[in-house]
Amino acid sequence: MSPSPPPDDAPQQPGSLRVTRGLVIPADELEWRFTTSGGPGGQHANKASTRAEVSFDVTASKSLGPRQRARLLERLGPTVRAASGDERSQMRNRELALERLATRLADGLRVETPRVATRPSASARARRLTDKRRRSARKRDRARPSSEDE
């Protein structure tokens, strides 16, 4: 019997990442890297490692089920990365990188419902033809009168 997913309000391990209702990635499966942010900012930007990059190894993860792993490998590849260097604070950049990673993973796991082909109803078909006749008549009325009409 597989363990049931924790409810939304269940406390989660600090640093863990909630991707969907049924998927929480523990902090020890996330790998962090910090570098200096590019761009202007003077001494702070050149010395402080505020840019945060988080990566998640899909193939080695114990928190994914076989279907989830297959879907992520097909759509996103063996390693999923997200980075943020937008803010001055490393803590805020960590939060942004986690949000971006969660969004990428959730999009990769989303199951698209197949489109069901339908046919237009009889009234829709009649409405389309009526509008078509009206447009045709309006354009015919705009034309210059021919020499026979004068």
Side-chain angles (χ1 to χ4, degrees), residues 25-54:
I25 298 172
D28 59 345
E29 290 188 15
L30 301 174
E31 188 177 318
W32 288 95
R33 216 174 96 199
F34 300 99
T35 57
T36 56
S37 293
Q43 189 174 9
H44 176 76
N46 297 336
K47 292 182 111 179
S49 296
T50 55
R51 182 179 182 275
E53 181 179 322
V54 62

Side-chain angles (χ1 to χ4, degrees), residues 6 8-9 16 28 30-31 43 48 51 55 63 77 118 122 137 142:
D8 284 339
D9 58 347
S16 62
D28 59 345
L30 301 174
E31 188 177 318
Q43 189 174 9
R51 182 179 182 275
S55 61
S63 57
T118 58
R142 279 190 216 140

